[in-house]
């Protein structure tokens, strides 16, 4: 009787493993198809489509060099190569870099008011976080 139970347990384990492998293979296949689709979209003529691809974090190494500022802005929101994007000609991209808290000293003197506002907002956000941390520490809720 005990031997039969062990065999049933082993069959259940094998079946569960097989089900998992089939599920995993299905997920991998879906990811491969999605990868092929996204790869085709990084060269789409519509910059909104390319920006959507960047928004999900795909092909950032290619889209960082896109001709459209909206695409590069999305790349900056992923904090990808901010060391390059801090010098971007577009104020939208530089503002996105400042939003990430990068290059604030340089961008604080930017010619564009929107970029300077992003620097200010980033600094205020950092101060607010520090204030909250100090309150938590004072209340013993670290």
């Amino acid at each position: 009787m005990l031997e039969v139970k062990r065999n049933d347990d082993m069959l259940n384990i094998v079946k569960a493993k097989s089900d998992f492998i089939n599920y995993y293979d299905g997920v991998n296949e879906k990811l491969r198809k999605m990868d092929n689709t996204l790869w085709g979209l990084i060269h789409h003529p519509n910059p909104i489509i390319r920006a959507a691809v960047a928004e999900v974090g795909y092909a950032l190494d290619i889209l960082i060099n896109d001709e459209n500022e909206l695409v590069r802005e999305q790349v900056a929101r992923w904090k990808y190569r901010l060391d390059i994007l801090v010098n971007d000609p577009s104020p939208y991209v530089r503002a996105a870099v400042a939003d990430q808290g990068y290059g604030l000293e340089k961008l604080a003197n930017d010619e564009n008011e929107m970029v300077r506002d992003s620097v200010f907002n980033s600094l205020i956000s950092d101060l607010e976080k520090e204030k909250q941390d100090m309150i938590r520490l004072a209340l013993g809720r670290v």
Side-chain angles (χ1 to χ4, degrees), residues 90-131:
S90 168
Y92 294 103
V93 176
R94 294 192 311 274
V97 170
D99 289 342
Q100 307 310 313
Y102 186 87
L104 299 180
E105 287 184 31
K106 175 181 180 149
L107 296 173
N109 299 313
D110 196 274
E111 62 193 32
N112 186 282
E113 184 178 357
M114 178 181 57
V115 175
R116 294 191 308 270
D117 286 346
S118 290
V119 170
F120 176 78
N121 291 334
S122 187
L123 291 171
I124 292 297
S125 176
D126 287 347
L127 288 173
E128 188 60 35
K129 288 175 190 169
E130 287 180 25
K131 181 177 142 185

Side-chain angles (χ1 to χ4, degrees), residues 37-46 49-50 53 59 62-63 66:
T37 301
L38 288 173
W39 185 257
L41 293 177
I42 65 172
H43 302 293
H44 196 280
N46 187 334
I49 300 294
R50 296 192 311 274
V53 173
I62 295 168
L63 294 173
D66 196 274

Side-chain angles (χ1 to χ4, degrees), residues 57-117:
Y58 188 81
L60 299 177
D61 57 328
I62 295 168
L63 294 173
I64 190 174
N65 298 311
D66 196 274
E67 64 190 30
N68 188 278
E69 61 191 7
L70 298 176
V71 177
R72 296 190 312 275
E73 178 185 353
Q74 289 303 319
V75 172
R77 300 217 177 274
W78 277 92
K79 298 182 179 182
Y80 183 80
R81 297 306 310 263
L82 296 177
D83 58 319
I84 294 171
L85 294 173
V86 71
N87 298 309
D88 197 274
S90 168
Y92 294 103
V93 176
R94 294 192 311 274
V97 170
D99 289 342
Q100 307 310 313
Y102 186 87
L104 299 180
E105 287 184 31
K106 175 181 180 149
L107 296 173
N109 299 313
D110 196 274
E111 62 193 32
N112 186 282
E113 184 178 357
M114 178 181 57
V115 175
R116 294 191 308 270
D117 286 346

